[in-house]
Amino acid sequence: MDTSPSSTVTPHYLPHLGSALSPSVLMVEDDPCLVQWFENVAEVVKPQVDCHYASNTLDAIQLIRERAQAGRNPPFQLVLTDIFLDDEQTGLSLWTE
């Protein structure tokens, strides 16, 4: 059995995530090691997934608003956020914005 990353992670679930545009993910994380890990995992499905990163809630909100103003509805199909950011707000407070 082939256990390479490309054979163990299949993007078969991706087509239902949104419109004809590539599914998009926003990761809000202030730990560079975790961002690097996520980038490595995302490379497996990179052609199908449009990945964006923010290290704090203010940058995340700006990205979400920019994409919404550009007509992306929803701005991201998936938002992954750290709860405890080195920021004035937490990842949970991002959801109240």
Side-chain angles (χ1 to χ4, degrees), residues 36-75:
Q36 182 61 51
W37 173 83
F38 185 77
E39 286 178 344
N40 291 339
V41 171
E43 284 179 13
V44 174
V45 291
K46 190 67 172 176
Q48 293 84 13
V49 178
D50 184 20
C51 297
H52 297 264
Y53 306 94
S55 61
N56 59 60
T57 56
L58 295 177
D59 289 347
I61 291 167
Q62 181 179 348
L63 276 170
I64 291 168
R65 287 182 179 155
E66 286 173 0
R67 290 175 62 89
Q69 289 173 353
R72 298 293 297 256
N73 186 22

Side-chain angles (χ1 to χ4, degrees), residues 28-30 54-61 81-94:
V28 185
E29 176 59 62
D30 56 358
S55 61
N56 59 60
T57 56
L58 295 177
D59 289 347
I61 291 167
T81 183
D82 185 353
I83 294 174
F84 301 107
L85 297 164
D86 291 335
D87 194 353
E88 298 151 7
Q89 298 182 354
T90 68
L92 293 176
S93 65
L94 175 63

